[in-house]
Amino acid sequence: MALLQADHLTVYVAFHFVLITLLSFTSATPGRGSANVLSLPQPYDLLYYTGVRSYFGEEWVKAAELLEKAILTKESLSRVRRQCHEECVEAGREAFNRLDSEKGSLHDLWTLDWVQQRAECLRFCVGRSVSPAAQLPVSTDIDYEFGSRNPYNFLQVTYYKLEKLQKAASAAHTYFVANPSHLEMRNNIEKYRRMKGVMEEAFQDRELENENHWVLYDSAVQYEASSDWLKAAEKWKECVNETLRQTDECRLQCEMASQRLPEDRGEDGSKSVYEQAADLSLSLLSCRQSCVTQVATRPGRISSQEDFLPTQLEHRHIAQFKAGDVGGAVQTLRSLLLFYPSDHDSLDNLQLYSETLGGDTESQGTQPAQEIVGYINRALDEKKLLYFGMENLDFSFTDPDLWTPEDVVPESLRDNWRAVKENINVRMVEGEKKEEVDDSGFYAGGPVPQVGVTIAMDDTVLNGTNRVVLDDVMTEKECEKILQLATAATSAGDGYRGRRSPHTPHETFEGLTVLRAVKLAQDDMVNQTDARLFYELGERVKVLLHSYFRSPSILYTSFTHLVCRSAIAGDQEGRLDLSHPVHVDNCLLEPETNQCWREPPAFIHRDLSAFLYLNDNFDGGDLFFTNSDAKTVTARVKPSCGRLVGFSSGPVNPHGVSAVTRGRRCALALWFTKEKLYRDMEREEAAAMWAAGGQSVVKNEEEEKEGGAPPARNARNQASRQGRGRVTGARDEL
């Protein structure tokens, strides 16, 4: 204690460190002498290493068994720790209850008695199920392997070799969720999707239980985008609760995991037992604090989302207010104010809510949620100890929160703390102000090669980058023909697994693909000329946009869809949602952070988007562009026969469709790609069907130069025809 010097407070803090150390260290000590059968006899790192050796030895059955067992053992170890933590909560309760009435050395003795009883309970409980070897700490390499989900990388090839394609697809998807830039795995998943016997339900994240708060988060954002405030408020509540649960689970694992004692540096500069205990205890507290960052980091992301929990509370109180739950909004807003008590916007909102309630914001139901009060108090207590360690014990700690009050930080550390906080705030503000750069390689302003087509709106008028509206791309007669085709052949929910209203319950959605149109024409169910026109319009649009956007490379049609949205009569009154929520075509838009993540399920191969409109005899249905906040509208386009809208598919062009409140709105939706691998094989199959019947179709000039490779030579087509390919090269490449 003398090494800590100073007053009674520092002595108490050091003693507190010792108590926490005894608890965390003894709780992780392997149990001895237990006669019970061990359910986890082998460490999961040993199982994993053995499984990897079997993999490289091409012992596929053994590799699959060991890798799966390693994953299961790691999960089971966490579960045992959780159960033992709950079982031992009451251990030593009698001794703990006497602490308030005892002083001096008796207080210390009763404290040690309480710590020892609880530690013994934890040691015995864990020892019943886990062998001593399985309780030892694993290396940082193993932490990285499991953190990056590498076991699933090995498993997907292993199951592929065993011809268990459903399990292979599941492992591939689970790995890819945390490694979205892994191109080989992305290609593997595309191939699995086309293999016979692989069902859509195989593509599930096996680690979803640990990431459920992100599922709820995304769901809440979607409800907000469609202005369904009641469901948004419910989802935000679930998201907050799940975030708190995940944080508690992470903190529990910090406490229950084995801790390494700090190294003793010897005679010169060596640490006393109290300093080592303090180091160990501070490491535990730092681990608990880092759970904020861990929970706020999406799988596959490097950085966490700042102010993750306060952001949810902010979304929730707004959704509650708009849903009519003003009392609930006040409670949530008061919870938010615990993080930022002087935030002007929050205080203004509280005043508004107070006026709405007639001045009553002090009732029991409008006070801050107790779980948030507890969260704040616990965090502040830990931060005080950690900053004490930084000031007095040369401990290194990075505060994960922006909301930490300045008075928690010791005076000697405040200048550096303010500088770090200011740099973070500057980066956040710059990130909000930063304009997205279009790196598509397109450059608007090229020639329009079709006679009679005029430029109605360009980048300047549309207030954006790589946007254009061309008029008179189709004649009135051509519009009528395609509308007739839509009436005769579109099917409900086409492209959305048969869901008649995939975007809004107030409209029905119908669609038709080129290949289906050709097949219907061959069966004399639709006009052959109309089906051919449908195909050729896609080529017409491609030629126009390739020229106007001065594409430096060949464009391939990725998908063509004839789509119609119809307002449901009698279901339009008071409608506030959109026909299609704001989104970006090749990345996942995150409006609250002004970022767009180019990863599945987004169609990341799309480079250019287009809509060719067929009619205007409906109400609503305007296409509109926004900033990356998905709120600030920058331009609107009203559909009409023969009007073509083209734009680059990336984050500079978020867009949506306003509600169709009367009638039926039809258009051709087209997407183009620079990657030949992702060209639309259905178009090539349609062309092949016409060629087999002695008919010719329009071909793009660049494709003619390439020779127009037949469908069977396409990599994706081969995968679907042959059923399964051959694993070669890297362990994760099919």
Side-chain angles (χ1 to χ4, degrees):
M1 294 273 186
L3 290 175
L4 295 179
Q5 299 176 356
D7 54 17
H8 175 77
L9 174 63
T10 57
V11 175
Y12 172 77
V13 171
F15 185 60
H16 179 80
F17 287 156
V18 173
L19 297 182
I20 297 177
T21 303
L22 286 171
L23 178 60
S24 59
F25 181 66
T26 55
S27 68
T29 303
R32 297 171 184 167
S34 174
N36 291 4
V37 177
L38 298 171
S39 60
L40 298 177
Q42 290 185 290
Y44 68 89
D45 53 347
L46 175 62
L47 292 167
Y48 178 64
Y49 280 133
T50 309
V52 171
R53 281 197 294 270
S54 298
Y55 172 91
F56 284 110
E58 298 187 2
E59 300 175 79
W60 305 117
V61 174
K62 186 177 180 181
E65 179 185 353
L66 289 169
L67 291 168
E68 288 286 11
K69 196 169 182 180
I71 294 170
L72 179 61
T73 300
K74 184 176 185 295
E75 293 173 352
S76 299
L77 181 59
S78 296
R79 187 164 55 251
V80 167
R81 288 170 175 168
R82 187 185 317 118
Q83 291 170 349
C84 288
H85 186 274
E86 294 170 357
E87 285 182 23
C88 295
V89 166
E90 295 300 317
R93 177 64 64 183
E94 181 182 351
F96 180 79
N97 290 338
R98 298 191 63 169
L99 294 180
D100 291 336
S101 61
E102 300 291 349
K103 296 180 180 179
S105 60
L106 286 177
H107 180 280
D108 295 350
L109 289 173
W110 282 114
T111 302
L112 288 171
D113 188 36
W114 162 60
V115 171
Q116 188 62 29
Q117 287 187 51
R118 186 157 186 248
E120 285 295 329
C121 175
L122 290 168
R123 182 174 65 174
F124 178 75
C125 180
V126 174
R128 284 181 312 193
S129 304
V130 185
S131 69
Q135 294 183 54
L136 295 174
V138 298
S139 68
T140 54
D141 287 343
I142 284 293
D143 280 336
Y144 175 80
E145 288 288 298
F146 279 83
S148 60
R149 302 191 182 183
N150 222 25
Y152 297 100
N153 193 352
F154 289 108
L155 273 175
Q156 70 97 15
V157 175
T158 301
Y159 281 131
Y160 181 83
K161 287 288 190 178
L162 294 171
E163 299 187 3
K164 296 181 178 181
L165 300 183
Q166 286 277 105
K167 290 185 175 182
S170 178
H173 179 80
T174 302
Y175 176 79
F176 189 63
V177 167
N179 300 273
S181 60
H182 201 283
L183 297 181
E184 290 86 359
M185 195 64 75
R186 185 187 75 178
N187 292 334
N188 288 351
I189 290 173
E190 290 297 325
K191 293 172 184 177
Y192 282 130
R193 288 188 186 280
R194 288 163 176 77
M195 290 181 182
K196 186 177 181 180
V198 178
M199 309 298 289
E200 185 62 30
E201 54 265 27
F203 299 95
Q204 300 293 326
D205 183 4
R206 290 178 51 179
E207 298 283 332
L208 184 61
E209 182 182 352
N210 300 323
E211 312 294 345
N212 193 43
H213 56 300
W214 286 112
V215 177
L216 294 168
Y217 186 97
D218 293 337
S219 179
V221 170
Q222 287 297 320
Y223 281 125
E224 278 189 359
S226 59
S227 300
D228 192 337
W229 299 111
L230 184 61
K231 289 184 178 178
E234 292 172 354
K235 285 297 177 184
W236 283 122
K237 178 181 179 180
E238 293 178 37
C239 186
V240 168
N241 291 338
E242 182 63 15
T243 298
L244 292 172
R245 191 194 71 78
Q246 293 279 6
T247 303
D248 286 343
E249 173 66 20
C250 174
R251 290 168 57 83
L252 182 150
Q253 295 300 327
C254 284
E255 179 180 332
M256 296 294 294
S258 299
Q259 302 285 335
R260 292 185 180 87
L261 283 172
E263 294 182 4
D264 191 337
R265 296 181 299 213
E267 289 293 331
D268 295 325
S270 64
K271 291 188 176 183
S272 72
V273 65
Y274 296 108
E275 289 179 302
Q276 292 186 59
D279 277 352
L280 188 58
S281 302
L282 287 168
S283 297
L284 170 61
L285 295 179
S286 181
C287 178
R288 288 173 174 171
Q289 284 282 297
S290 70
C291 289
V292 173
T293 302
Q294 183 174 323
V295 172
T297 305
R298 282 183 184 268
R301 304 281 169 81
I302 297 174
S303 58
S304 62
Q305 183 171 322
E306 298 287 359
D307 273 343
F308 186 49
L309 186 57
T311 296
Q312 295 175 46
L313 294 173
E314 184 172 17
H315 279 276
R316 187 186 174 200
H317 82 74
I318 293 172
Q320 287 174 306
F321 180 73
K322 292 190 175 184
D325 181 13
V326 183
V330 171
Q331 183 185 51
T332 303
L333 184 52
R334 285 192 180 279
S335 299
L336 175 60
L337 282 165
L338 294 177
F339 293 92
Y340 293 103
S342 58
D343 182 71
H344 294 301
D345 290 338
S346 296
L347 292 172
D348 289 344
N349 283 330
L350 185 62
Q351 179 65 30
L352 170 64
Y353 297 169
S354 175
E355 293 171 358
T356 305
L357 289 174
D360 178 22
T361 58
E362 301 300 328
S363 62
Q364 185 65 31
T366 58
Q367 296 307 302
Q370 286 306 302
E371 57 267 26
I372 302 298
V373 174
Y375 178 95
I376 292 281
N377 291 337
R378 180 182 66 189
L380 291 177
D381 287 343
E382 292 175 351
K383 290 176 191 292
K384 289 174 184 176
L385 290 171
L386 285 160
Y387 279 115
F388 177 89
M390 289 181 69
E391 184 180 38
N392 296 281
L393 301 172
D394 197 28
F395 185 77
S396 178
F397 166 62
T398 302
D399 196 328
D401 296 308
L402 293 174
W403 58 265
T404 302
E406 186 170 304
D407 58 10
V408 171
V409 184
E411 188 67 41
S412 63
L413 301 175
R414 285 185 188 174
D415 287 343
N416 184 59
W417 176 82
R418 291 190 192 107
V420 171
K421 188 173 181 179
E422 181 62 27
N423 286 336
I424 294 174
N425 287 330
V426 167
R427 287 201 302 270
M428 290 178 66
V429 171
E430 288 178 349
E432 291 174 359
K433 292 181 178 179
K434 180 182 176 182
E435 293 185 5
E436 287 285 355
V437 177
D438 192 334
D439 58 358
S440 63
F442 299 123
Y443 183 52
V448 178
Q450 183 176 330
V451 176
V453 173
T454 58
I455 301 174
M457 305 171 79
D458 60 8
D459 279 355
T460 303
V461 180
L462 291 168
N463 298 311
T465 303
N466 282 328
R467 301 174 181 175
V468 70
V469 175
L470 303 177
D471 279 345
D472 300 318
V473 174
M474 296 173 67
T475 65
E476 290 284 348
K477 187 174 182 180
E478 286 176 329
C479 286
E480 290 175 6
K481 284 180 174 291
I482 302 301
L483 285 171
Q484 289 173 5
L485 180 64
T487 301
T490 55
S491 58
D494 183 71
Y496 292 90
R497 299 182 185 174
R499 288 185 291 152
R500 294 175 56 85
S501 303
H503 303 301
T504 168
H506 305 289
E507 299 174 18
T508 57
F509 181 95
E510 299 167 300
L512 178 68
T513 62
V514 170
L515 181 60
R516 186 162 175 269
V518 172
K519 289 180 177 179
L520 290 172
Q522 289 195 337
D523 294 337
D524 294 325
M525 297 182 69
V526 299
N527 188 292
Q528 184 80 242
T529 305
D530 294 347
R532 286 176 59 81
L533 176 61
F534 181 17
Y535 177 94
E536 291 172 358
L537 284 171
E539 299 301 311
R540 188 184 302 177
V541 170
K542 181 166 64 175
V543 170
L544 284 169
L545 297 185
H546 184 278
S547 175
Y548 181 80
F549 287 114
R550 292 182 270 203
S551 175
S553 58
I554 298 173
L555 282 182
Y556 301 94
T557 303
S558 177
F559 190 51
T560 307
H561 208 197
L562 171 55
V563 296
C564 294
R565 306 166 187 268
S566 302
I568 298 176
D571 193 23
Q572 303 300 317
E573 186 176 354
R575 184 176 171 188
L576 298 174
D577 66 344
L578 300 172
S579 178
H580 199 134
V582 176
H583 62 285
V584 177
D585 284 344
N586 71 7
C587 56
L588 302 175
L589 182 63
E590 197 172 71
E592 61 276 7
T593 61
N594 293 316
Q595 297 185 78
C596 206
W597 303 98
R598 196 161 185 179
E599 59 189 55
F603 297 95
I604 57 178
H605 56 275
R606 290 177 176 175
D607 294 305
L608 202 59
S609 305
F611 300 107
L612 181 56
Y613 297 111
L614 304 175
N615 64 321
D616 60 6
N617 55 335
F618 52 87
D619 291 339
D622 290 355
L623 174 75
F624 62 91
F625 293 95
T626 74
N627 288 335
S628 56
D629 61 4
K631 298 176 182 177
T632 307
V633 176
T634 57
R636 287 185 179 274
V637 180
K638 187 171 181 59
S640 61
C641 167
R643 169 164 283 187
L644 172 66
V645 182
F647 52 93
S648 57
S649 303
V652 295
N653 286 318
H655 58 282
V657 179
S658 62
V660 178
T661 56
R662 182 192 63 84
R664 189 177 193 228
R665 172 192 189 272
C666 294
L668 263 65
L670 306 104
W671 292 273
F672 304 97
T673 179
K674 300 173 188 175
E675 298 183 56
K676 188 175 182 180
L677 175 67
Y678 291 102
R679 70 189 188 277
D680 188 354
M681 297 308 302
E682 287 197 356
R683 291 184 67 84
E684 297 197 5
E685 189 172 344
M689 291 173 66
W690 273 319
Q695 302 181 55
S696 62
V697 294
V698 176
K699 268 196 176 183
N700 181 264
E701 183 178 340
E702 286 84 357
E703 289 179 353
E704 287 283 2
K705 291 177 182 177
E706 279 208 346
R713 296 186 182 275
N714 178 265
R716 286 165 64 189
N717 188 69
Q718 285 217 32
S720 62
R721 288 173 182 268
Q722 296 175 0
R724 58 178 71 99
R726 177 172 171 267
V727 179
T728 58
R731 67 179 184 224
D732 45 22
E733 183 178 3
L734 297 185

